[in-house]
Structures are given as C-alpha cells and as structure tokens.
Amino acid sequence: FFFFFFVIFRLIYRRRTTIMKPETVNYVAGAIIAAGGAMGYAKKKSLPSLLAGGAFGSALMYTGYMIASGNVEGGHVAATALSLILAGVMGSRAYRSGKFMPSGMVSLVGLATGVYNALA
C-alpha cells in the first residue's frame, strides 16, 4: 500500500520522468476499489459493498480510459470528484466505526487518487 502512495507522489513531483502513464493511477485505484467491493461481498455477503465497489471502481477505470483517449482534463476532473466523494463517504464510515479496515484504507486510496488527479 505504501508503494502506491510512493508512486503517486513520484508522479506528481517528477512529471517528466514518470515511470508510468498518468491514466495508470486511475486504473490501479479503480481495480483496488472494485476488488475491495468483491472481497466485502465474499466475506460478509454485503451486496452494497459489491455494488458500490464495482460502480466506483468501474468509474475510476473509465476516467483512466478518458485520459488515455485524449480527454485529459475531463478525465482528471471526473476522477478527482469521484475520488474525493469516495474518500469522504468512507472516511466518515471509518470515523463512526472506529476501525481503520476496510473503510479507512479505501478512504486513503480515494484521497491519494483525488490529490493526484487534482494536481495533474
């Protein structure tokens, strides 16, 4: 997980020597969110986790596709909005429950992705 943050901040501060394309961050974050939703369903039979994880994960992956297709500004704006909504919702759930996993982790992934897309 810390490698994910390292890669994001490396991309922010060293744009000319990036180790991956800008859309890759959204693809990876979307896959993490979708996999988390699937894990929530597999462990607790939580249909809301499956649906929300699939929807947010797919939407983040689509923003990566938007960026790769040339709609760079629209992709980053949409990804920023999605990520910050995700971070806010899951952060409030983590605060209310007092547990970091899984909602706190998802909140951090959303926050990191939102910051990256806002600065890109």
Side-chain angles (χ1 to χ4, degrees):
F1 178 73
F2 292 106
F3 178 73
F4 180 70
F5 280 119
F6 172 75
V7 169
I8 288 174
F9 289 114
R10 180 169 167 85
L11 286 174
I12 290 170
Y13 293 112
R14 301 191 75 189
R15 290 184 187 179
R16 293 191 178 145
T17 58
T18 59
I19 56 175
M20 68 174 104
K21 296 180 180 179
E23 64 269 12
T24 305
V25 172
N26 292 344
Y27 288 141
V28 170
I32 289 170
I33 299 300
M39 246 192 323
Y41 180 75
K43 282 187 165 191
K44 302 281 185 176
K45 300 295 182 209
S46 172
L47 191 59
S49 291
L50 180 65
L51 295 176
F56 272 95
S58 298
L60 273 174
M61 286 189 266
Y62 181 71
T63 62
Y65 172 74
M66 288 172 64
I67 294 167
S69 298
N71 188 1
V72 177
E73 185 176 344
H76 283 301
V77 168
T80 300
L82 282 167
S83 299
L84 294 181
I85 289 169
L86 183 67
V89 169
M90 296 306 281
S92 69
R93 286 187 69 188
Y95 180 76
R96 281 191 313 240
S97 71
K99 297 179 183 176
F100 179 71
M101 288 298 286
S103 54
M105 180 67 76
V106 173
S107 178
L108 286 179
V109 170
L111 183 63
T113 308
V115 168
Y116 166 76
N117 281 291
L119 296 176

